[in-house]
Amino acid sequence: MPLLAIGYKLASAVVLACMFALIKSLSSRYPIGEIVFARSAFALLPILWLLHRSGRWSALKTTRPLSHLHRSVAGTLSLFLSFGAVTLLPLSTATALTYAAPLFITVLAASMLGERVPARRWSAVLVGFSGVLIVVQPDMGAGLPMGKVLGVLAAIATAVALIAIRQMAATESALAITFYFTLFGTLVGSATLPFSAVSPNGMDALCLIAIGLLGGTAQLLLTKAYRLAPASLIAPFEYATLLSAILIGFLVWGDLPGSVEWLGITIIVAANLALAAREHSRALLRHMCTLVRRKLR
């Protein structure tokens, strides 16, 4: 099962990178709102297919509609911001900035949830933020690079959404969280269509449909992966999306990160791996303590 879970995770990473590549290819001709609509509306199809196939419609029942709204607002805002970043930046750079989200999760967990964050974890976060600054390369005299600012804001919105998911995880199914988020994105995206929609030609229409199907499929693959194996096993393969984005960006647009950006990306990844390793060691310690307690009973 672990190998199958890793396979699902790697497949979701490649699918997600392909989705972002399609978004980048269309972003100069179509408004972000229309792309968000396509990403959300057609992503509902594989989710509805799974609900129909499994007969798990009862999983959509919820007693926490406001929590779903909070998560959906943050997640949909992240879509708008990250798609804007992909429009303005090389695919590799825009993808790399999304990995600032775990750093912001640590900060928000301390301020919003009151979680105690050890000094070592703060050190990893500060190192990670130095990598973000290196990638962004702020020049206050020339003004902030808008694409990179959007990428950082997208990471913050993603962190808020993931914090909301953490708060709901005990009572809400992953299927319900994904469904209501996708439905909300569809409604918000559709609200922009009367003001800015561009009628797509045949090939572009297929690409817009593919963006949604790929997005929905990536979420289902990721759900499968985490259902078959613990998060500590899956987490190191998270960076397959970044590697896929770098490869696709190079093959399609000839884009590669500059030497300074490579340094920043490496620091961000290293900081995230340090955070993941600490979480893994803590989870392992909790598991061992549980086993010891059971034996002592």
Side-chain angles (χ1 to χ4, degrees):
M1 284 301 183
L3 286 178
L4 184 59
I6 292 170
Y8 278 127
K9 172 58 192 171
L10 292 176
S12 75
V14 174
V15 168
L16 205 56
C18 291
M19 182 196 77
F20 276 112
L22 284 176
I23 290 169
K24 185 170 181 61
S25 69
L26 295 177
S27 58
S28 62
R29 303 191 297 279
Y30 298 92
I32 298 299
E34 187 170 353
I35 296 175
V36 168
F37 169 74
R39 156 65 180 86
S40 301
F42 294 107
L44 274 175
L45 297 180
I47 295 171
L48 291 172
W49 172 81
L50 180 62
L51 283 165
H52 174 72
R53 184 169 175 267
S54 63
R56 294 178 57 202
W57 295 98
S58 60
L60 300 183
K61 292 181 180 179
T62 180
T63 58
R64 305 180 65 180
L66 290 180
S67 296
H68 281 286
L69 179 62
H70 178 202
R71 180 268 183 271
S72 298
V73 168
T76 302
L77 180 60
S78 175
L79 290 183
F80 276 92
L81 292 168
S82 60
F83 292 179
V86 167
T87 301
L88 298 172
L89 296 173
L91 192 60
S92 55
T93 305
T95 305
L97 287 173
T98 65
Y99 290 99
L103 309 175
F104 286 112
I105 286 175
T106 300
V107 176
L108 293 174
S111 59
M112 294 172 59
L113 304 180
E115 290 186 5
R116 181 180 170 276
V117 180
R120 285 185 184 177
R121 197 169 180 189
W122 278 121
S123 300
V125 169
L126 290 175
V127 170
F129 281 138
S130 72
V132 173
L133 285 174
I134 290 171
V135 172
V136 174
Q137 300 176 51
D139 182 351
M140 303 312 290
L144 290 172
M146 184 51 64
K148 293 179 179 180
V149 170
L150 292 177
V152 173
L153 292 175
I156 295 173
T158 300
V160 173
L162 292 173
I163 289 284
I165 291 172
R166 182 188 296 182
Q167 292 174 312
M168 289 193 292
T171 60
E172 305 298 300
S173 70
L175 202 54
I177 293 171
T178 302
F179 174 80
Y180 290 118
F181 158 58
T182 308
L183 179 62
F184 184 85
T186 301
L187 295 175
V188 172
S190 66
T192 70
L193 297 181
F195 306 101
S196 59
V198 175
S199 181
N201 60 37
M203 182 55 69
D204 285 356
L206 290 176
C207 288
L208 286 167
I209 293 170
I211 285 170
L213 293 176
L214 290 171
T217 301
Q219 289 212 337
L220 293 177
L221 289 169
L222 197 58
T223 301
K224 274 272 197 182
Y226 280 100
R227 192 173 290 164
L228 293 173
S232 56
L233 176 67
I234 301 299
F237 297 92
E238 178 66 34
Y239 300 96
T241 301
L242 177 58
L243 295 176
S244 300
I246 291 172
L247 180 61
I248 292 172
F250 174 69
L251 292 176
V252 178
W253 292 281
D255 290 332
L256 279 176
S259 56
V260 175
E261 287 183 333
W262 273 119
L263 174 62
I265 290 170
T266 302
I267 291 173
I268 293 170
V269 170
N272 279 314
L273 288 175
L275 289 173
R278 179 171 179 79
E279 288 301 311
H280 175 63
S281 62
R282 289 176 63 190
L284 182 61
L285 181 61
R286 285 196 297 268
H287 179 63
M288 291 176 64
C289 289
T290 301
L291 291 177
V292 170
R293 281 197 294 269
R294 285 176 180 172
K295 288 188 175 182
L296 292 175
R297 287 176 182 172

